[in-house]
Amino acid sequence: MADIKALAAKYNDYIVERRRYYHARPELTEHEAETTEAVVKDLEAMGLPVERFEGMYGCVATLEGATPGKTVLLRADIDALPVKEATGLPFASRNEGRMHACGHDAHIAMQLGAAKILTEMRGELGGTVKFFFQPAEELALGAKGAVERGLMKGVDAVYGAHVWGLVDAGKINIAHGERMASCDMFTLTVSGEASHGSAPHLGRDAVVAASAVIMALQTIVSRVNNPLNSLVLTVGTFDAGQRFNIVADKAVMDGTVRTFDPKFRMKMEEMIRKTARDVAAGYGCTAELDYKYLCPAVINSDEKVVETARGAAVKLFGEDVLVPFEKLMGSEDFSFLMEDTPGVYGFIGGRSKDVPGSGMSNHHECYTIDEKILPMGAALAAQFAADFLAK
């Protein structure tokens, strides 16, 4: 088989240039029109047929190997964040208030590099490689939308990885089991009765009731949940009141729930509803819940696929490249791609003391990566695809 590490080095300049191109032109979730057009152009320049999705941005390219075989899908997300960039990079965002603060520019470039490598190896491949460039990851919409449009039909395995500022550049984490939590969101509306602030006894204070609800919700985590089950319940916004001297008649709060246990996840909606309703009633108020299920947990449960990815990393970079990294309560809609298809999700370290901002957490206004990891990510994706198809 071709030397994939050498091919990644060959295309290093291309991969770096594409990363910088996309970094300078970030587009927000569900607005990735120009990004999609540029990716399609890059793929067609390699001679790959590209399909778009009806009603959403993003695309998927297909590489047919020399002989028939299995099908593997590689995924890169393409959307950016509503962040004002403060990196000072010469290729910083040209789009005010938008930034690739989560590394999706690197994901695009790595996957284009993998496509270059595997296209050059076409004659050695037995099977099919699909390159999925996914929109709308930041709002957990893109993967599900693509699955609903038939993306995973006929796919035998799926691979994804994320650059990460809390892991050293040159290191990779690919682990079995729980990797990223499920994500759901809710809106609670507590309704009371307004009165003058000097006569609270004539009203029903929605602020006080809602505050009690927020505190009571945390007892689900501390007293209902098994302490061995990872669970986060966060209320992130609180909007109430009309004026400083009026008892508020309404309070609205938004929050999120994160866990790994799929059965416990499905119980959370009713527990939040009952807790909010009962606590609010104690203050003479009512509570209504609007609950939205966003994405399941990312769990690397298929041992053969996980070991194929780990073996690819070791084959390329040696045993020392693999490092431990704790599971995260953050979420990833890559989980939708794994619901009915064996898959693996890993982390590629981007932190370097020589690159300011590379040690920042993802979503930070100064976040960037050590670009030496770009050919590593391209090589890893290509090696995984080649090895999976060869087995």
Side-chain angles (χ1 to χ4, degrees), residues 97-115:
R98 286 166 279 175
M99 178 188 173
H100 270 299
C102 200
H104 295 184
D105 54 325
H107 299 170
I108 297 169
M110 288 173 175
Q111 182 135 301
L112 289 172

Side-chain angles (χ1 to χ4, degrees), residues 1 5-6 34 44 63 75-77 79 98 140 144 156 171 197 213 284 323 325 385 389:
M1 183 178 288
K5 186 176 181 180
E34 292 183 12
E44 289 180 341
L63 171 64
R75 177 269 206 164
D77 35 13
D79 53 333
R98 286 166 279 175
K144 183 178 181 181
D156 297 295
K171 299 297 182 181
V213 167
V323 295
F325 185 56
L389 294 180

Side-chain angles (χ1 to χ4, degrees), residues 158-232:
V158 57
Y159 164 91
H162 207 301
V163 294
W164 211 255
L166 302 180
V167 178
D168 288 339
K171 299 297 182 181
I172 295 169
N173 171 263
I174 302 169
H176 294 272
E178 299 171 347
R179 303 313 298 141
M180 300 189 79
S182 62
C183 177
D184 303 314
M185 67 175 292
F186 62 86
T187 299
L188 268 171
T189 302
V190 176
S191 300
E193 184 178 346
S195 67
H196 196 282
S198 64
H201 60 292
L202 299 179
R204 295 291 182 267
D205 196 332
V207 167
V208 172
S211 300
V213 167
I214 291 174
M215 298 304 294
L217 290 178
Q218 293 307 315
T219 64
I220 297 176
V221 180
S222 65
R223 289 297 177 267
V224 178
N225 178 55
N226 183 334
L228 300 180
N229 176 50
S230 301
L231 174 66
V232 171

Side-chain angles (χ1 to χ4, degrees), residues 355-373:
V355 181
S358 65
M360 298 294 185
S361 62
N362 296 54
H363 292 210
H364 193 280
E365 62 186 3
C366 294
Y367 176 77
T368 188
I369 61 165
D370 185 336
E371 290 184 329
K372 76 179 183 183
I373 73 172

Side-chain angles (χ1 to χ4, degrees), residues 228-250:
L228 300 180
N229 176 50
S230 301
L231 174 66
V232 171
L233 193 164
T234 295
V235 174
T237 71
F238 189 98
D239 184 21
Q242 307 170 59
R243 198 169 185 272
F244 79 99
N245 63 347
I246 299 175
V247 169
D249 63 349
K250 186 169 77 170

Side-chain angles (χ1 to χ4, degrees), residues 112-151:
L112 289 172
K116 281 272 193 183
I117 293 166
L118 291 168
T119 298
E120 186 162 333
M121 295 174 55
R122 186 196 300 260
E124 300 180 53
L125 299 178
T128 301
V129 184
K130 290 183 175 289
F131 304 94
F132 173 38
F133 291 84
Q134 182 202 307
E137 185 277 329
E138 295 293 353
L139 291 182
L141 300 171
K144 183 178 181 181
V147 170
E148 291 171 347
R149 289 162 174 81
L151 173 72

